[in-house]
Amino acid sequence: MADAAKAAARGPRTAARWIQWGSLALAIALLLVFLLSQRQTTDFLYGTQHVGSVDDGNDDASDDTAGSADGSTHEYTGTLPSDAALAALFAKSTIVRLPGAIATFDEPRVLAAIGHADQVRAQQDDPQPKIKVIVAPPDLSDTDEDRIAALPGDNLRIVGLAVTFAGYDIMPSDTDGWQQQFVTGDVTSLILSRLAGVLHEPEPSEAASAVQWRTPTTAELRTVVDGLGTDRLYTAPGADLDEVPPVAGQAFPTTPPIVVALPRQVAGEPVPDYAAALAQRFPDTPIIVMYGYWCSYAGPGADNTEVATASYYSRYGQLISENAYPQWNVLNVYLQQWARIRYAGLFDRPLPYQLPDPVGVALPVLPWLFLACVLVFLGASVHSARRRPDAAPGGDEAPADGSGTVPMSSWGRLAGLSSLAVELSGLADDRTNPRLARGVVRLTAAREALDADRSAAIVGSQLDAAQREFGKLADLLDRPDYRPEAYLAGRSS
Amino acid sequence: MDEWPIWLIGVLVLVIAGVGSVVVVRNRSRRAGRDEAVAGARAALEAAEVSRDACHGTVPEADQLFDRAHLIISGSTGASGARQAAELADRADRLWQAANG
């Protein structure tokens, strides 16, 4: 009965305590989560992908010219003849074609344009030397490029497929232009547009030198299809792609692409369009056909092709036109461009599902949760502080009275001693009256202390003092049965 | 990061709550201890008064002790002063009791 009452009294109190300290712990935990999550940056990535450059396929794109600028990281394959041989070749004709040069152009048209330009410039106030065209191999070191630039006169320099004239690098600006430059190595339209630009004349139409496409013959197509291995790669003779870069898995996550690598095509001849033919043969399969450094795409998501091509060749076109890279490097970065577009979330294209970061999701609510916990803790603390820390010293816990008697509640002792005082008052005389009075004073003090919820110690000390007085009083009266110990024991039994 | 004032307020409230709870508990126990000591001292004074009234002669030393205790307790004293007053009253009480035989 008493135990049950005690448990009932303790139940809500421990629950309140749990709420109090639980909310504090939760608030601290939330604070810690908040502080630790402050390492998060404002850098948003829509997926993991590796950004690389053509040089090694690994460097960050920001240093994508490092390979051509720094001899230590790049093995230059282009070579020039000695100074004497170079000077002899230079003196011989208008078009100086150095060994290893790969660029082609329509020589009669270029010669005609140069003749026209020379004529116009000769009529100007400040006559300038005749224009010469120097066609150099790609992948020249800086020193070799300087040697070409140092040749006398105002020369149109072609290093690899990169055209430079009158201080400008000339780049194609659309898909047709890049196709001419990279599929066949034909730079005619670049030269002609630059010459027209120097003379402030309208640029000639590029249609004349655009790449002509044709459907591949059945035999050509069968060669390619039969040549596809388990890695879905066909490398034609003259091409140097030996494996598909692993980034293809990111660029085309669902279906591994079919890759056909061909060497640079001959200018002026129709080029077989393998991409379209293979797309008919293998529907729903990404198909990449490389003509030299040109990558054409057909298959699912082909509407991204223009974005991929334009962004790739406008960014890396200059680099791959003047240097000699393995086709693997070119394809690697092209595929990275596809992966970028796939994960960029551009143009409402669906993104791959990514599990939301729970901390990121919870972060906006976190401060409010924290504040709520703090307020709950505060409320519980105030609530528990309002109630008396030790509510009833004599109420439910009996203090040991220190005299070896049966432990009794303070109220019980007070009641017992009070009735003893009443009985003793009948026997008291002048000699014993002060003791009785002092005992009653002590009893009154104990009573007040109990009423005021004072601590058990002060109540006990007052009761002890009263008990001593009454004990001595009983001794004086020689009445052992009125000794408080005996009297209280008799009452409680 | 617009929520940082919330964190700041929360932490401040926590700190204030912690300090406040410590101060409140300490103050309350100090006041309770003082009240108890004063009550005990008053009881001791009353008991000593009974002894003095019962005493036939006068005990100057006991009177002096009693007056000192009375002086202490009638002022606004702390717990230690009240305990001292109670001890003085007890001593006076014993002296009077002894004088009374």
Side-chain angles (χ1 to χ4, degrees), chain A residues 81-365:
Chain A
S82 67
D83 278 344
L86 194 61
L89 278 169
F90 182 70
K92 213 155 59 184
S93 62
T94 308
I95 295 175
V96 184
R97 196 171 185 87
L98 301 176
I102 56 169
T104 58
F105 46 87
D106 189 339
E107 294 200 6
R109 284 181 69 196
V110 168
L111 282 174
I114 288 175
H116 174 63
D118 284 341
Q119 245 176 19
V120 172
R121 281 149 59 107
Q123 290 163 5
Q124 287 171 348
D125 300 340
D126 176 23
Q128 294 182 35
K130 293 200 169 190
I131 299 169
K132 286 199 170 199
V133 180
I134 305 163
V135 193
D139 223 16
L140 289 182
S141 67
D142 287 354
T143 11
D144 282 346
E145 284 190 29
D146 290 345
R147 282 172 64 197
I148 292 179
L151 287 170
D154 198 4
N155 300 314
L156 199 151
R157 306 194 297 275
I158 306 172
V159 175
L161 298 172
V163 181
T164 310
F165 181 56
Y168 287 95
D169 289 331
I170 305 141
M171 302 282 300
S173 54
D174 58 7
T175 310
D176 282 346
W178 284 309
Q179 271 184 6
Q180 284 171 42
Q181 191 180 15
F182 292 112
V183 174
T184 58
D186 184 355
V187 293
T188 312
S189 65
L190 290 180
I191 296 172
L192 295 182
S193 70
R194 182 63 190 136
L195 286 173
V198 168
L199 301 177
H200 306 293
E201 286 176 0
E203 291 192 8
S205 161
E206 295 183 4
S209 44
V211 173
Q212 305 294 316
W213 296 99
R214 65 170 170 90
T215 317
T217 63
T218 322
E220 284 173 331
L221 196 60
R222 189 184 300 125
T223 313
V224 170
V225 171
D226 292 348
L228 290 174
T230 49
D231 54 355
R232 308 181 128 213
L233 168 67
Y234 171 74
T235 306
D240 64 356
L241 187 67
D242 48 3
E243 57 148 9
V244 180
V247 74
Q250 279 179 25
F252 304 103
T254 46
T255 319
I258 289 174
V259 179
V260 176
L262 304 168
R264 193 175 293 112
Q265 302 293 300
V266 179
E269 287 179 19
V271 177
D273 186 2
Y274 285 107
L278 285 169
Q280 282 182 346
R281 179 77 184 262
F282 300 98
D284 299 329
T285 308
I287 290 154
I288 297 169
V289 183
M290 290 188 81
Y291 303 92
Y293 289 165
W294 176 259
C295 303
S296 50
Y297 177 80
D303 51 337
N304 293 351
T305 313
E306 203 175 332
V307 176
T309 304
S311 57
Y312 177 66
Y313 284 99
S314 58
R315 183 168 182 183
Y316 296 108
Q318 175 73 16
L319 195 64
I320 60 179
S321 64
E322 62 189 18
N323 290 300
Y325 291 111
Q327 277 182 312
W328 188 94
N329 294 31
V330 173
L331 180 60
N332 186 38
V333 179
Y334 181 72
L335 289 172
Q336 282 172 7
Q337 201 70 22
W338 270 92
R340 273 200 195 101
I341 291 167
R342 181 170 300 280
Y343 290 107
L346 298 170
F347 314 119
D348 292 333
R349 286 182 196 111
L351 296 171
Y353 181 72
Q354 281 191 310
L355 222 61
D357 177 14
V359 171
V361 170
L363 216 52
V365 210

Side-chain angles (χ1 to χ4, degrees), chain A residues 366-448:
Chain A
L366 226 51
W368 302 104
L369 278 178
F370 172 72
L371 202 63
C373 285
V374 166
L375 291 180
V376 167
F377 170 73
L378 201 64
S381 300
V382 168
H383 180 71
S384 75
R386 280 269 174 95
R387 68 166 69 210
R388 295 257 157 194
D390 33 15
D396 50 3
E397 274 165 80
D401 59 7
S403 55
T405 53
V406 184
M408 261 178 117
S409 79
S410 300
W411 283 109
R413 275 180 80 195
L414 178 66
L417 291 174
S418 300
S419 68
L420 176 61
V422 171
E423 300 212 17
L424 286 173
S425 64
L427 306 172
D429 51 19
D430 279 353
R431 193 167 49 102
T432 56
N433 260 340
R435 285 205 183 278
L436 183 63
R438 281 199 296 269
V440 170
V441 165
R442 296 294 187 183
L443 279 184
T444 312
R447 166 75 203 222
E448 278 170 5

Side-chain angles (χ1 to χ4, degrees), chain A residues 34 368 378 385 434 438 454-455, chain B residues 6-7 17 28 36 51 54 97:
Chain A
F34 174 74
W368 302 104
L378 201 64
R438 281 199 296 269
R454 297 255 155 76
S455 77
Chain B
I6 300 173
W7 295 101
R28 176 181 294 158
E36 282 178 3
S51 304
Q97 283 187 42

